[in-house]
């Protein structure tokens, strides 16, 4: 009876949290299918006709074709750099191949909780002449994604038996060949977790593009949402349609990778 009540309480909390996420999402979906006049007349009511006009207008008004391509490029490169650099850093830390490995691990762990300092970051980006450059924005997003990636990778690599390292060394397998040919296939759940979290963080970034990319043509797709905010009013129907367009790729990716994400986080948390 005690376990039953605990399980009921846990399911009730999960259901409540799900409602907090699903209800606003359904509200946005409903608005996206409304005409402007219909929304003004009845903002909460269900849409009378489900048409795709708002999605087409939002795509054209925000120039999403170019911005969407920018986001795809940024997200793909950031995820690739985060995975490769994260594994190359996490492996020697987890295997204690370098001095002060514990201190390095603590530093990367602290990076999960310390906020990004805006003024020093802007000064450094400007000093290195990385402001308003694609490579500068990619480096910034990669640096922000690395702490979590390294923590997850270190926890996962520690669960890999050391006998595998010794067997590869006896067979004459080099360091990089071992990491990329043997270790990475075993780390598929952890890599899927890092890729998903890095992709969501990069794809949904709204503030940093306005700070570090002054050229609108270099900004990601989220910056297109600003088009629908006006001085005298906001176009809520087009804005809702644009939000759905932007969120859809990450939702689809999460659906396909969710089982890897759960196992990857569990391995990094329990075995780390």
């Amino acid at each position: 009876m005690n376990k039953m009540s605990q399980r009921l309480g846990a399911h009730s909390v999960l259901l409540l949290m799900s409602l907090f996420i699903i209800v606003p999402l359904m509200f946005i979906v409903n608005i996206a299918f409304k005409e402007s006049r219909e929304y003004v007349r009845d903002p909460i009511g269900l849409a009378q006709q489900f048409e795709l006009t708002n999605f087409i207008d939002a795509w054209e008004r925000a120039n999403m074709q170019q911005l969407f391509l920018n986001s795809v490029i940024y997200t793909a490169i950031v995820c690739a750099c985060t995975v490769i650099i994260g594994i190359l850093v996490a492996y020697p830390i987890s295997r204690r191949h370098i001095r002060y490995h514990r201190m390095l691990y603590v530093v990367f762990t602290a990076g999960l909780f310390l906020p990004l300092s805006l003024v020093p970051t802007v000064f450094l980006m400007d000093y290195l002449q990385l402001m308003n450059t694609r490579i500068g924005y990619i480096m910034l997003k990669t640096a922000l994604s690395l702490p979590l990636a390294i923590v997850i990778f270190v926890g996962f690599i520690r669960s890999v038996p050391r006998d595998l390292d010794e067997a590869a060394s006896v067979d004459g397998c080099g360091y990089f060949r071992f990491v990329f040919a043997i270790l990475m296939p075993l780390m598929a759940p952890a890599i899927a977790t890092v890729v998903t979290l890095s992709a969501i963080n990069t794809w949904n970034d709204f503030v940093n593009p306005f700070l570090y990319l002054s050229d609108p043509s270099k900004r990601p797709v989220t910056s297109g949402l600003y088009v629908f905010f006006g001085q005298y009013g906001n176009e809520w129907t087009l804005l809702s349609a644009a939000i759905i367009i932007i969120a859809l790729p990450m939702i689809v990716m999460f659906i396909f990778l969710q089982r890897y994400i759960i196992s990857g986080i569990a391995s990094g948390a329990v075995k780390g």
Side-chain angles (χ1 to χ4, degrees), residues 1-269:
M1 190 68 180
N2 217 1
K3 291 183 178 180
M4 182 65 70
S5 60
Q6 291 178 357
R7 185 175 300 179
L8 182 61
H11 281 79
S12 300
V13 172
L14 291 175
L15 178 61
L16 185 62
M17 294 176 62
S18 300
L19 289 176
F20 275 115
I21 298 174
I22 294 175
V23 171
L25 180 61
M26 297 307 297
F27 186 69
I28 293 175
V29 171
N30 184 48
I31 294 176
F33 286 99
K34 285 186 175 183
E35 295 182 352
S36 298
R37 295 179 180 179
E38 184 182 354
Y39 172 75
V40 173
R41 186 169 58 250
D42 188 8
I44 304 179
L46 293 176
Q48 300 298 322
Q49 295 180 349
F50 292 91
E51 299 181 356
L52 300 177
T53 307
N54 289 335
F55 295 90
I56 299 173
D57 293 343
W59 181 272
E60 295 176 351
R61 283 276 303 278
N63 189 24
M64 283 194 178
Q65 183 174 357
Q66 176 63 39
L67 301 181
F68 207 90
L69 180 61
N70 291 340
S71 286
V72 171
I73 294 173
Y74 293 148
T75 303
I77 297 178
V78 168
C79 289
C81 292
T82 301
V83 169
I84 294 174
I85 298 174
I87 292 178
L88 292 177
V89 173
Y91 178 71
I93 292 178
S94 61
R95 290 296 193 247
R96 303 178 182 179
H97 290 169
I98 55 177
R99 299 178 61 184
Y100 309 113
H101 57 89
R102 292 184 182 275
M103 183 180 299
L104 287 174
Y105 184 68
V106 170
V107 169
F108 285 115
T109 304
L112 298 174
F113 309 101
L114 297 178
L116 177 66
S117 299
L118 180 60
V119 175
T121 304
V122 172
F123 176 79
L124 180 62
M125 294 276 288
D126 184 62
Y127 179 78
L128 297 176
Q129 297 183 355
L130 295 174
M131 292 290 289
N132 195 32
T133 61
R134 298 180 188 273
I135 186 64
Y137 183 73
I138 290 172
M139 292 175 64
L140 174 67
K141 297 304 297 182
T142 302
L144 294 176
S145 302
L146 275 176
L148 179 59
I150 291 173
V151 169
I152 293 176
F153 286 154
V154 167
F156 197 93
I157 294 174
R158 285 176 178 172
S159 67
V160 177
R162 288 180 176 267
D163 296 340
L164 190 63
D165 302 39
E166 298 174 359
S169 178
V170 170
D171 290 340
C173 184
Y175 176 77
F176 289 101
R177 183 183 176 188
F178 171 77
V179 171
F180 292 109
I182 299 177
L183 188 61
M184 285 188 68
L186 298 175
M187 297 178 60
I191 292 175
T193 302
V194 170
V195 166
T196 303
L197 297 178
S198 300
I200 292 175
N201 182 38
T202 305
W203 188 275
N204 292 338
D205 191 6
F206 181 77
V207 177
N208 287 323
F210 289 98
L211 296 176
Y212 303 103
L213 296 173
S214 57
D215 186 356
S217 63
K218 297 179 181 179
R219 291 173 182 167
V221 69
T222 50
S223 62
L225 297 176
Y226 195 74
V227 175
F228 307 109
F229 290 95
Q231 182 177 1
Y232 302 103
N234 303 322
E235 300 178 81
W236 294 111
T237 55
L238 297 182
L239 177 62
S240 300
I243 291 174
I244 295 174
I245 293 174
I246 294 173
L248 193 59
M250 293 297 104
I251 294 175
V252 173
M253 185 183 68
F254 181 81
I255 291 174
F256 282 103
L257 297 180
Q258 61 176 335
R259 63 190 184 98
Y260 295 106
I261 297 172
I262 296 172
S263 60
I265 293 178
S267 299

